[in-house]
C-alpha cells in the first residue's frame, strides 16, 4: 500500500475512519494518530468485540505499534482508562506517546463545559478546545515531557496563578482554590508515573521507521469540515484535521506522504451545532440514523443525517490532496429509492459549485440535487466472494457518480460494521 498513508475524514467526522484504519493496519507496521484529543471516537468491531477508542490509534486492535503524535492533546485520565480497558479485553497496547504532545488538564474540562454553555458551539466538554488555546497562547499548557520531568509542582503553581481569574470567573470559588491546586498536583503526579514508560521522542521514531522502509499509517480524527482553518468555522474542532496535519502533528515532511485516503459515508452526518445543507428532518433522516446507529461514540449524541454532499467531497479532495476514497455504510442505503446526491448549491437564484467559507452563507444555501435509482438489498456474501462487479447495478452507478463528481477514485467499499465486510477494487 506504499509505506506512508494518511487516512482523513471528508465530511464532519464519524465517517468510519476507525474501521478503515483497522482494515488497512493489517498491512502496516506503525499507526500514528496526529491530531485531536479524547473528543474523537473511533469504533472498531471484530467479531463479537467492539472497541471504542478515543486517544489510542485504531491499529491497536491489530496489535501493531501505535503512536500518539505531538499534534494530539492527551487527557491522561482518559488515556489510562483506555489502556486498562484494552488490557481487560486481551490487548496490551504497544504504545508510544510523543513527549511533545500537550496535556489536557482538569481545568481544561471545566472551562470547556462552562464556556460552551454560553457560546453553544457544541463541544464534547472534554477540554480539548481550552487545551489547544493554552498551547497556542503558550501560557496554560503542559507538555507530556513537562508532566514526567522534575519541577512539575512549580509549573502547575505558575499556570494556575495565571488562570486564577478565568477559573474564578467560571465558578471556582476563591476559598477552595488553594485546595484545588493541591489536589491537581497530586492527581497529575500519579498520572505522570503511570504514563512515563510509554513516552519517547516520536518524531525521531517515525522518521527512522520510514527511513528503514517500515509501513506507517497516519490516522486523523474528525473530518475536513471540522478543521480549524478549513472547516465550517466557528463550528469546528481546535486542530487541523486535514492531511497537512499529519506532517505538523507528527514531525514528518510532506514529501514523505505517498497516499492520502479520504473516508466518506455513502450519505452525510454531523454532530453538534452548525449549518448542514443536505440535512434530512424527515422519515428518511430517521431511517438513516436508526439503520446506521448514528449516535456519537464519545458523547452518545444523535447525529444529524442527510444526503451525500458532493460539493463537500470535491472540497475535501482539494484541501487534502486525496489520492483515493473509501466509502462506508453503503448498506444503510438499502431500500431507499430514489437516492439524492447534492452536486451544487443555490442562493438567490445563483448556482454555487464551490464550498463557501462563511457559515452564515452555508446556512442559507439550497442544495441542488440529482436523483438516482436505489437498490433493495446488498448480497453481502456474494459481494465478499465476487467483488465489486457483484454489487447491484444501481449501487455501482451510485458509486461511479460519486467518483465522477468528486474527481477521485473509490478504492475501498464498506458495507457493515465488522472489518470483514469490506472490499477493495
Amino acid at each position: 500500500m506504499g509505506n506512508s498513508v494518511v487516512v482523513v475524514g471528508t465530511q464532519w467526522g464519524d465517517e468510519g475512519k476507525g474501521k478503515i484504519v483497522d482494515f488497512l493496519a493489517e498491512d502496516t507496521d506503525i499507526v500514528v494518530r496526529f491530531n485531536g484529543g479524547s473528543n474523537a471516537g473511533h469504533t472498531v468491531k471484530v467479531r463479537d468485540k467492539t472497541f471504542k477508542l478515543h486517544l489510542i490509534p485504531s491499529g491497536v486492535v491489530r496489535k501493531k505499534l501505535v503512536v500518539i503524535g505531538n499534534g494530539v492533546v492527551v487527557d491522561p485520565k482518559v488515556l489510562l482508562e483506555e489502556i486498562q480497558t484494552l488490557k481487560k479485553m486481551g490487548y496490551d497496547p504497544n504504545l508510544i506517546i510523543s513527549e511533545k504532545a500537550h496535556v489536557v488538564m482538569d481545568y481544561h474540562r471545566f472551562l470547556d463545559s462552562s464556556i460552551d454553555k454560553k457560546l453553544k458551539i457544541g463541544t464534547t466538554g472534554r477540554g480539548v478546545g481550552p487545551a489547544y488555546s493554552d498551547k497556542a497562547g503558550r501560557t496554560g499548557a503542559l507538555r507530556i515531557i513537562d508532566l514526567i520531568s522534575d519541577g512539575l509542582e512549580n509549573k502547575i503553581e505558575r499556570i494556575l496563578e495565571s488562570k486564577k481569574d478565568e477559573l474564578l470567573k467560571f465558578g471556582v470559588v476563591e476559598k477552595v482554590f488553594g485546595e484545588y491546586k493541591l489536589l491537581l498536583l497530586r492527581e497529575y503526579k500519579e498520572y505522570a508515573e503511570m504514563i512515563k514508560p510509554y513516552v519517547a521522542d516520536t518524531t525521531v521514531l517515525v522518521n527512522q521507521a520510514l527511513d528503514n522502509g517500515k509501513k506507517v499509517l497516519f490516522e486523523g480524527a474528525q473530518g475536513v469540515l471540522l478543521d480549524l482553518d478549513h472547516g465550517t468555522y466557528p463550528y469546528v474542532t481546535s486542530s487541523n484535521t486535514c492531511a497537512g496535519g499529519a506532517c505538523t502533528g507528527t514531525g514528518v515532511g510532506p514529501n514523505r506522504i505517498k497516499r492520502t485516503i479520504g473516508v466518506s459515508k455513502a450519505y452525510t452526518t454531523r454532530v453538534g451545532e452548525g449549518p448542514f445543507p443536505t440535512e434530512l428532518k424527515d422519515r428518511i433522516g430517521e431511517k438513516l440514523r436508526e439503520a446506521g446507529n448514528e449516535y456519537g461514540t464519545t458523547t452518545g449524541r444523535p447525529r444529524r443525517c442527510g444526503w451525500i454532499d458532493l460539493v463537500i467531497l470535491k472540497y475535501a479532495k482539494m484541501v487534502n490532496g486525496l489520492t483515493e476514497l473509501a466509502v462506508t455504510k453503503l448498506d444503510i442505503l438499502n431500500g431507499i429509492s430514489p437516492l439524492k446526491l447534492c452536486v451544487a448549491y443555490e442562493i438567490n437564484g445563483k448556482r454555487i459549485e464551490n464550498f463557501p467559507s462563511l457559515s452564515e452563507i452555508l446556512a442559507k444555501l439550497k442544495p441542488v440535487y440529482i436523483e438516482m435509482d436505489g437498490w433493495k438489498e446488498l448480497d453481502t456474501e456474494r459481494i465478499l466472494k465476487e467483488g465489486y462487479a457483484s454489487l447491484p447495478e444501481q449501487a455501482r452507478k451510485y458509486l461511479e457518480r460519486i467518483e465522477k463528481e468528486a474527481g477521485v477514485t473509490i478504492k475501498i467499499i464498506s458495507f457493515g460494521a465488522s472489518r470483514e465486510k469490506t472490499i477493495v477494487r
Side-chain angles (χ1 to χ4, degrees):
M1 69 178 199
N3 78 323
S4 53
V5 180
V6 178
V7 175
V8 293
T10 62
Q11 297 164 317
W12 278 283
D14 309 309
E15 300 95 347
K17 295 181 296 300
K19 177 185 172 175
I20 299 302
V21 169
D22 168 71
F23 179 77
L24 295 170
E26 182 179 19
D27 186 35
T28 197
D29 298 300
I30 304 173
V31 181
V32 188
R33 168 82 177 272
F34 64 80
N35 78 294
S38 61
N39 58 340
H42 290 171
T43 300
V44 178
K45 187 172 181 180
V46 183
R47 293 180 291 277
D48 61 337
K49 290 184 178 180
T50 299
F51 300 82
K52 293 184 181 293
L53 304 167
H54 299 282
L55 283 167
I56 298 176
S58 302
V60 71
V61 182
R62 295 280 191 182
K63 300 192 175 181
K64 304 290 182 173
L65 174 61
V66 290
V67 174
I68 294 176
N70 58 273
V72 180
V73 289
V74 179
D75 186 326
K77 181 179 180 182
V78 174
L79 178 63
L80 291 166
E81 288 173 351
E82 201 161 291
I83 290 171
Q84 289 306 312
T85 299
L86 285 165
K87 285 182 176 180
K88 288 177 183 176
M89 298 176 76
Y91 292 77
D92 191 354
N94 185 10
L95 169 68
I96 302 179
I97 307 164
S98 172
E99 61 188 14
K100 299 174 188 172
H102 280 73
V103 181
V104 175
M105 305 293 286
D106 177 77
Y107 52 79
H108 288 136
R109 292 192 296 267
F110 169 74
L111 289 171
D112 198 4
S113 298
S114 301
I115 293 169
D116 197 54
K117 285 178 183 176
K118 292 189 175 185
L119 298 182
K120 301 189 185 307
I121 292 172
T123 76
T124 60
R126 294 295 186 101
V128 171
Y132 275 116
S133 294
D134 282 349
K135 173 182 175 178
R138 298 159 293 161
T139 54
L142 292 171
R143 297 189 297 172
I144 293 290
I145 196 167
D146 296 314
L147 191 67
I148 65 173
S149 300
D150 294 336
L152 178 61
E153 184 171 353
N154 290 335
K155 289 173 182 176
I156 286 182
E157 176 87 24
R158 174 179 52 79
I159 287 172
L160 280 177
E161 284 302 318
S162 73
K163 299 193 76 66
K164 184 174 182 179
D165 289 344
E166 186 179 12
L167 289 167
L168 292 174
K169 175 183 174 183
F170 283 103
V172 172
V173 182
E174 175 83 49
K175 66 181 180 180
V176 301
F177 191 75
E179 182 182 346
Y180 178 69
K181 284 195 283 188
L182 292 174
L183 292 171
L184 193 73
L185 181 61
R186 186 185 309 155
E187 180 182 357
Y188 280 79
K189 275 186 172 179
E190 291 177 1
Y191 293 153
E193 288 303 311
M194 291 185 278
I195 284 174
K196 196 170 186 176
Y198 297 102
V199 178
D201 185 340
T202 58
T203 299
V204 172
L205 182 149
V206 174
N207 277 284
Q208 286 181 344
L210 290 169
D211 290 341
N212 293 329
K214 298 289 186 182
K215 294 179 179 180
V216 181
L217 184 59
F218 297 89
E219 176 184 25
Q222 291 97 23
V224 60
L225 296 185
L226 293 178
D227 186 277
L228 181 60
D229 291 296
H230 301 290
T232 49
Y233 192 89
Y235 305 102
V236 294
T237 193
S238 298
S239 63
N240 286 117
T241 63
C242 291
C247 298
T248 56
T250 62
V252 303
N255 62 329
R256 310 208 74 160
I257 306 300
K258 304 305 179 186
R259 292 169 62 195
T260 304
I261 301 174
V263 184
S264 169
K265 280 178 182 162
Y267 48 100
T268 309
T269 65
R270 83 170 295 177
V271 173
E273 305 295 329
F276 182 177
T278 65
E279 183 173 11
L280 291 168
K281 299 179 180 180
D282 58 13
R283 62 177 184 81
I284 296 177
E286 287 294 328
K287 175 180 169 61
L288 292 173
R289 182 179 299 111
E290 295 309 313
N293 191 28
E294 296 296 353
Y295 297 88
T297 302
T298 300
T299 63
R301 290 182 294 181
R303 295 176 186 142
R304 300 153 64 192
C305 299
W307 299 116
I308 194 162
D309 189 327
L310 301 179
V311 180
I312 288 173
L313 279 188
K314 285 189 289 185
Y315 179 69
K317 183 210 172 186
M318 177 177 66
V319 299
N320 288 290
L322 298 180
T323 58
E324 57 212 80
L325 273 178
V327 173
T328 63
K329 293 196 168 185
L330 186 65
D331 55 308
I332 305 305
L333 297 182
N334 287 349
I336 301 175
S337 189
L339 297 169
K340 293 186 179 182
L341 303 85
C342 174
V343 295
Y345 303 134
E346 188 178 277
I347 185 168
N348 298 326
K350 181 181 178 182
R351 185 182 174 100
I352 297 175
E353 297 191 356
N354 293 319
F355 192 76
S357 299
L358 195 62
S359 287
E360 288 85 348
I361 291 178
L362 193 62
K364 297 176 183 177
L365 296 172
K366 292 182 179 180
V368 176
Y369 289 117
I370 59 170
E371 290 190 357
M372 300 186 71
D373 291 336
W375 55 91
K376 289 183 179 180
E377 196 76 28
L378 299 181
D379 185 342
T380 301
E381 297 304 316
R382 184 182 173 205
I383 294 166
L384 290 174
K385 189 180 296 183
E386 300 178 17
Y388 180 76
S390 63
L391 282 168
E393 181 183 6
Q394 299 94 325
R396 282 184 278 117
K397 286 183 176 179
Y398 183 77
L399 293 170
E400 287 158 15
R401 188 57 184 261
I402 291 172
E403 288 182 319
K404 179 181 177 182
E405 295 290 334
V408 61
T409 303
I410 296 170
K411 290 287 189 180
I412 301 172
I413 301 162
S414 164
F415 40 87
S418 64
R419 67 162 64 130
E420 292 80 13
K421 292 183 178 179
T422 311
I423 59 171
V424 178
R425 287 174 72 191

